[in-house]
Amino acid sequence: MATSPSRPVPHIPAPTGTTPHLSSPRSMRSLRKLQSAQNLSTNYAAGSANVPSIPTLTPHQRQLAHRSSGILREPSGGNGSSGGGFTGFGSGRDADVGSRGLNFGGGGGGTLHSSTTPVFTPNVTASASNSHGRTRSNSDLPAALGGNSLMPSRRGGVKRANSSETNVKEDFEVLVRSGPRGDVMSGLKQLRKLVLLGGVDADVDGMSQLRIYTWLILLNAPAFSTDTYLALVHRGPSPAYSKIRNDTFRTLATDPLFKRRVSEASLIRLLNALAWKLHDANQEKAAAAALSSNAQLSHSLGSDLVASPPSEHPSPLRKHAQSAASTTTAPSTSSAAGGSTEPGTYVQGMNVLCAPFLYAARSEIEAFTAFHILLTQHLPSYVRGAMIGVHRGLALVDKCLSIIDPRLYSFLLSKGMTAEIYAFPSVLTLCACTPPLPEVLCLWDFFFAFGVHLNVLAVVAQLVCRREELMASRSPGILLRTFPPLKAKEIVGMTVSFVEKIPARVYGELVEHGR
């Protein structure tokens, strides 16, 4: 059999352009490799010092071109989020290395050693032609392209909110520490507004360095001498000492925050000093009333009664005058004096009312000053006689509830539930009997800023919050034995909304009920 002549192998010329010949018998896989290698070499050549584009066919030729260009690649161990610079986007492993970028004189990553400063030219074509490669996130973009400065993010919105809250707290701190720049009343108005916006900065336990001073400002408390407080403490047990000892050991007994910070001895000292202070005020009031009675008797009976020296056995008329002067009637005395406050005595429940002051204050003298002003200037009828101010407040709870939620009020009334039965502790203690204590402090910020009389509406707000639960219960009295945990922001918001619904006459009764 004759052997056929061998055919000559056709010569395939090397491609001279940047794109391989489509008529060559290459597979699609080889064609993609060639395009990827050519794009990579073109990017590196374009980033050098005006090095012309080098057509690349084989890895050996690409290696020779890189050696001649003098460009050093970055170390493969660089930080993936290093600073921006000249970068090349390839495919596969090269794309992952190139996306880390090269650093120009700062930050992490590799450094480009060249005599000329390269210009950043992002390779959009390469990244578009290689969809399987790792793409660059916005946070990796350098500042030249804007980066995050041009792209709004959710984190930026959160920062703006925190910045606004921080500005409120900073303004509050400056106002409390430095005082108002202009008018005192305008500064006080600004302080109230900042308190309503949450300016009192406190931790999760409710502790704040400025809270007690804010309370003293809002209560208009004058300076009180520490030596005077120590003198009251050193006087020993007051006439109400036994009542105080019967109450202090159960003051917020289930609150771990209070027990950890405030000792029973501190509570006893403060209440005993206050009892002495009220006792002295009563004695001074009785002495002043006796002098006034003697003046009236001297005017009606003549000057002989006053001019005669005091005898060992005074006359029955003088005894009657002295007994009448020592007997105090709170409502008549207060009305006759044109609204002046009447000193009271220690009553049960003052221990719970005192607890938040000792918890928030940085010293006993600060707590004593604020507590004394609250009782003698803002709520004197709460500790006077039979606590007539508390009973007025309870009657106002029923009246305000009937205005705000008539259906709930009628339901509770049909079950025989009035405020005298379920709201006495909350009205007496300004809601301090309801945990948690940090929420009580936030609620007191609002009370002292806008008036302690708003405690009545705060009690009504707590009832309205439980409306569905109470209306669905056959025995609401069982539910009202304990109030749910306080939520200060919710209660404050509801209280503010209730103010608009209360008639002016009833609101006037709210303001005056504790005085």
Side-chain angles (χ1 to χ4, degrees), residues 13 44 74 115 165 240 274 460:
Y44 274 101
E74 68 162 340
S115 59
E165 183 179 355
L274 182 68
V460 175

Side-chain angles (χ1 to χ4, degrees), residues 108-119:
T111 304
L112 178 64
H113 299 279
S114 177
S115 59
T116 60
T117 303
V119 180

Side-chain angles (χ1 to χ4, degrees), residues 60-73:
H60 178 68
Q61 293 177 348
R62 292 199 306 270
Q63 186 176 6
L64 293 177
H66 291 172
R67 289 178 181 178
S68 61
S69 62
I71 299 178
L72 299 179
R73 295 283 302 275

Side-chain angles (χ1 to χ4, degrees), residues 172-320:
F172 176 83
E173 182 176 357
V174 170
L175 184 60
V176 174
R177 292 183 180 275
S178 304
R181 296 181 179 179
D183 186 18
V184 176
M185 296 307 298
S186 61
L188 187 60
K189 183 178 180 180
Q190 182 184 3
L191 180 61
R192 291 192 178 111
K193 180 180 179 181
L194 293 175
V195 169
L196 190 61
L197 295 176
V200 181
D201 190 14
D203 56 15
V204 293
D205 294 338
M207 301 306 302
S208 173
Q209 295 183 354
L210 300 178
R211 171 165 276 139
I212 186 60
Y213 304 113
T214 306
W215 289 359
L216 291 171
I217 294 171
L218 295 173
L219 291 173
N220 195 22
F224 194 83
S225 174
T226 304
D227 295 335
T228 304
Y229 175 74
L230 293 177
L232 293 173
V233 172
H234 294 158
R235 288 174 65 176
S238 65
Y241 183 75
S242 59
K243 296 181 180 180
I244 293 173
R245 292 302 302 269
N246 289 334
D247 295 338
T248 53
F249 72 93
R250 52 177 177 239
T251 304
L252 303 183
T254 60
D255 195 316
L257 296 177
F258 179 78
K259 289 297 182 181
R260 186 175 62 213
R261 178 170 174 82
V262 182
S263 64
E264 184 183 359
S266 178
L267 191 61
I268 292 173
R269 283 193 300 267
L270 193 149
L271 292 175
N272 190 71
L274 182 68
W276 273 122
K277 189 71 175 177
L278 296 177
H279 175 77
D280 295 343
N282 285 327
Q283 293 295 324
E284 294 176 0
K285 191 76 175 181
L291 293 177
S292 177
S293 178
N294 288 339
Q296 293 178 0
L297 288 175
S298 63
H299 179 72
S300 60
L301 299 178
S303 59
D304 294 339
L305 183 61
V306 179
S308 60
S311 60
E312 186 177 356
H313 303 284
S315 62
L317 184 61
R318 183 180 293 274
K319 288 183 179 181
H320 176 72

Side-chain angles (χ1 to χ4, degrees), residues 326-445:
S326 61
T327 304
T328 59
T329 57
S332 61
T333 305
S334 177
S335 60
S340 62
T341 58
E342 175 77 11
T345 57
Y346 177 83
V347 295
Q348 189 176 10
M350 286 174 58
N351 56 316
V352 180
L353 192 61
C354 173
F357 288 107
L358 280 173
Y359 183 83
R362 306 180 69 181
S363 64
E364 287 184 19
I365 181 61
E366 294 172 347
F368 176 83
T369 303
F371 187 43
H372 177 258
I373 290 298
L374 175 67
L375 294 182
T376 58
Q377 300 295 330
H378 299 272
L379 296 174
S381 63
Y382 275 41
V383 295
R384 185 191 302 146
M387 295 184 291
I388 186 174
V390 179
H391 294 286
R392 291 175 184 168
L394 294 171
L396 287 170
V397 170
D398 289 331
K399 184 179 294 187
C400 293
L401 182 60
S402 65
I403 297 172
I404 295 170
D405 196 337
R407 186 179 177 184
L408 178 59
Y409 169 74
S410 301
F411 174 77
L412 294 177
L413 190 62
S414 65
K415 300 294 183 178
M417 299 300 297
T418 61
E420 290 277 354
I421 298 175
Y422 59 82
F424 189 89
S426 297
V427 173
L428 174 62
T429 63
L430 301 181
C431 296
C433 59
T434 306
L437 189 54
E439 295 295 318
V440 174
L441 302 181
C442 295
L443 196 60
W444 279 25
D445 294 339

